Amino acid sequence: MPELPEVETTRRGIKPWIHHKEIIEIVVREKRLRWPIPSDIREKLINREIISVQRRAKYLLIETDIGSALIHLGMSGSLRVIKHNEPAGKHDHYDLILNNGMALRYRDPRRFGSLLWAKNPLNHKLLKQLGPEPLEEKFTGSYLHSKAKNRKITIKQFIMNAHIVVGVGNIYACEALYMSSIRPDKKCKYITLKQCDDLVKSIKFVLKKSIKSGGTTLKDFKNLDGAPGYFKQKLMIYDCKICKCGVKVKNIKLGGRSSFYCNVCQK
DNA sequence: AAATATACCTGACTGC
DNA sequence: TGCAGTCAGGTATATT
């Protein structure tokens, strides 16, 4: 489920409920996530105040005075704020129980997500090598163009590479390429500077728009009424049958991922 | 270094 | 209704 806008929406949704609260207990029901939940996670986090709730790429950073919990939602993870005694479901793998009667509960049927701990999260092995944030100013068309030079892969696989730019998942890669009229299977070396400018603008636009829409679901966190209820994004090309030009949408595999595009609108 | 293949999982859906 | 097969929005890691 989570692409960057969903992770950012989650961050904004949980922050008011957990910021400046103390973690008084951690319940781990299933430690076998992508990596095992570290056995010392309780001693690292218990009796610590949450002093900030940040995001880097698709990782959520729950910061305390001595280090941070590093949470990734994988393919199917979600976080909710619940009353601490709410019965856990099958895939509710852990709770961070807070000193306000609430708990941050993690659910993840596929268990591709993670809960790790790091003293300095930005120096953590998983975060250190990452490319720029897509919404940062230094992510520009000329940056992308300079990196794309001499690359043999397709432009879609390129923009989904977290060492180039973080947070561009399969759906938004398709959408951004459609918006900038570039075929997903176009080889990097044939992409012009102008196209990189357009593509970067499209990536920023589609992510911002989606974060804005995701924001409309924040009340779900406030209501604490179960499912996160992510906003069903209006998609222009992903999972679509017919392009707005009337032609049938193509769906090819690139690097094993479904890639939707219009043979007429994208060149 | 860069490209490609592989691995981790469950659940929803399709076609027989 | 059941069963096998396919697919899913991520990404680190091993292999070439």
Side-chain angles (χ1 to χ4, degrees):
Chain A
M1 185 165 284
E3 292 225 20
L4 185 136
E6 286 79 0
V7 178
E8 179 59 21
T9 298
T10 297
R11 187 188 72 80
R12 295 179 186 185
I14 63 176
K15 182 174 172 183
W17 297 91
I18 71 173
H19 196 202
H20 297 311
K21 302 300 183 295
E22 190 182 315
I23 299 169
I24 58 169
E25 184 54 280
I26 298 179
V27 176
V28 177
R29 299 180 199 81
E30 173 58 84
K31 64 179 179 189
R32 295 175 304 165
L33 302 187
R34 172 148 201 196
W35 294 279
I37 295 175
S39 47
D40 62 353
I41 196 81
R42 288 180 78 254
E43 69 185 66
K44 298 291 193 193
L45 292 175
I46 281 184
N47 298 330
R48 298 285 166 191
E49 181 192 336
I50 294 170
I51 61 174
S52 78
V53 184
Q54 313 265 14
R55 179 187 60 73
R56 171 72 172 112
K58 293 177 187 170
Y59 291 90
L60 288 167
L61 312 177
I62 313 282
E63 190 189 357
T64 75
D65 61 335
I66 61 157
S68 299
L70 249 163
I71 297 175
H72 199 290
L73 302 178
M75 288 275 249
S76 57
S78 60
L79 284 168
R80 282 185 302 146
V81 176
I82 55 159
K83 290 184 181 151
H84 78 282
N85 56 357
E86 190 172 304
K90 186 177 175 184
H91 301 294
D92 292 336
H93 303 316
Y94 65 82
D95 299 337
L96 305 188
I97 300 173
L98 307 170
N99 64 342
N100 60 350
M102 310 301 277
L104 183 65
R105 173 165 286 176
Y106 180 81
R107 171 176 297 183
D108 186 2
R110 289 177 75 181
R111 293 194 272 120
F112 284 174
S114 53
L115 169 60
L116 299 170
W117 189 89
K119 192 167 188 293
N120 300 302
L122 298 183
N123 287 330
H124 189 278
K125 185 181 159 193
L126 294 172
L127 301 192
K128 199 160 188 184
Q129 310 292 338
L130 295 175
E133 289 285 326
L135 300 179
E136 257 172 20
E137 293 205 354
K138 65 180 179 184
F139 179 56
T140 63
S142 48
Y143 164 81
L144 199 66
H145 191 243
S146 69
K147 289 277 183 181
K149 247 186 329 193
N150 306 324
R151 292 297 199 107
K152 290 181 178 163
I153 49 168
T154 66
I155 186 65
K156 173 161 179 275
Q157 291 169 288
F158 183 67
I159 60 173
M160 289 180 67
N161 179 346
H163 298 294
I164 303 303
V165 58
V166 302
V168 182
N170 198 39
I171 292 181
Y172 295 117
C174 290
E175 294 296 309
L177 286 161
Y178 177 72
M179 277 190 55
S180 37
S181 307
I182 302 167
R183 290 171 58 107
D185 59 350
K186 188 129 180 156
K187 294 290 195 294
C188 281
K189 57 176 177 173
Y190 300 126
I191 300 279
T192 64
L193 176 58
K194 169 74 168 64
Q195 285 178 311
C196 284
D197 283 337
D198 288 348
L199 184 51
V200 165
K201 278 181 194 149
S202 298
I203 289 169
K204 289 174 190 281
F205 178 85
V206 77
L207 290 177
K208 277 184 192 166
K209 192 178 83 169
S210 183
I211 290 170
K212 228 173 184 174
S213 309
T216 63
T217 66
L218 289 184
K219 61 181 182 300
D220 288 353
F221 290 97
K222 285 179 188 167
N223 292 341
L224 304 174
D225 62 352
Y230 293 117
F231 179 82
K232 182 74 179 173
Q233 187 68 35
K234 265 189 206 160
L235 301 171
M236 310 266 295
I237 194 75
Y238 185 90
D239 215 15
C240 294
K241 305 283 176 269
I242 307 288
C243 176
K244 65 173 188 250
C245 78
V247 165
K248 191 164 179 253
V249 169
K250 302 266 186 195
N251 179 5
I252 59 172
K253 294 278 184 206
L254 294 174
R257 314 300 301 278
S258 284
S259 308
F260 294 85
Y261 72 100
C262 172
N263 208 16
V264 174
C265 296
Q266 291 166 265
K267 297 293 175 193

